[in-house]
Amino acid sequence: VRVPGANPVVLPVVVPPDRIDEIKGLYRNDVIEVPMSGVVNPGRFAPPHLMLQPAKGHAPLAKVNPILAMKGEKTLTGTLAVYPKSPLTTRNTWALEMVDENGFTRSISISSKNKGVMDTLDAKLMQALKTHPEKPEQRRNIVVHPGIDLHIKKGDMLIMPTQATMMITSADDVEIRVKTP
């Protein structure tokens, strides 16, 4: 959910068993319209959930801007973001944060099948972070660096239900544009 002037929020949604077919085929980073009804409290230790429940005369869940529309993209531009290394990963996960014309945010990770390419990209991006004085924005599990834009000049978009990744073959495919504060 995107609220103007605020960071995006992840809202859990309860989908009744008779509506499961409506969410099949959704991908992470799909922009959707969701018909909602009141808040459901699923339990003492769980956050409140919204209920997927269209009002009379309203369409069910609708994809407004599906991530699959980006299939075949070879170039991307966005703000540098990083998912810091965790106990489950071997390195930082670099990403582009892209904001569409309606203010919805997508995070597209950057990767390569070649470890040497990723080592070189790590070094380039870490250097950019060290030379840029602007404080990054810490969000739930991602750090966004609004003073640093990335332009991927050549890559292949890999889209899976859980992740969208721009695959590169050279660290030179990623151009770093540091904004002056």
Side-chain angles (χ1 to χ4, degrees):
V1 173
R2 180 81 174 161
V3 177
N7 289 332
V9 204
V10 175
L11 296 176
V13 176
V14 173
V15 181
D18 63 327
R19 314 270 328 249
I20 292 294
D21 285 344
E22 292 178 35
I23 63 167
K24 287 183 179 174
L26 286 181
Y27 284 67
R28 180 179 183 180
N29 280 315
D30 278 343
V31 176
I32 59 174
E33 286 182 353
V34 182
M36 295 290 175
S37 67
V39 174
V40 175
N41 190 346
R44 186 171 156 208
F45 298 106
H49 288 55
L50 296 174
M51 176 67 80
L52 180 65
Q53 189 67 44
K56 285 186 179 182
H58 284 81
L61 179 139
K63 289 185 186 181
V64 175
N65 188 348
I67 190 69
L68 286 174
M70 295 181 73
K71 190 174 176 109
E73 290 288 331
K74 300 291 183 191
T75 64
L76 292 177
T77 300
T79 303
L80 172 62
V82 61
Y83 293 88
K85 182 182 175 305
S86 75
L88 301 174
T89 60
T90 59
R91 63 181 349 125
N92 289 332
T93 299
W94 301 103
L96 290 170
E97 182 178 83
M98 301 169 61
V99 180
D100 73 12
E101 64 278 357
N102 296 311
F104 291 102
T105 303
R106 285 188 166 138
S107 178
I108 310 294
S109 62
I110 305 166
S111 191
S112 177
K113 293 178 183 177
N114 183 312
K115 182 184 178 307
V117 169
M118 289 309 296
D119 290 343
T120 303
L121 183 62
D122 280 346
K124 281 176 62 171
L125 293 174
M126 290 305 288
Q127 184 60 36
L129 294 178
K130 288 177 187 172
T131 60
H132 194 271
E134 190 172 330
K135 185 177 179 184
E137 296 174 11
Q138 176 70 50
R139 299 190 189 153
R140 189 170 143 254
N141 63 339
I142 187 171
V143 180
V144 179
H145 299 271
I148 304 173
D149 283 345
L150 300 180
H151 174 68
I152 299 179
K153 301 180 280 188
K154 186 175 89 177
D156 287 308
M157 183 67 100
L158 174 64
I159 301 174
M160 300 173 288
T162 58
Q163 184 64 43
T165 302
M166 185 59 103
M167 299 298 291
I168 59 172
T169 55
S170 167
D172 292 334
D173 294 341
V174 180
E175 180 181 305
I176 301 169
R177 300 173 179 167
V178 178
K179 301 174 192 171
T180 47

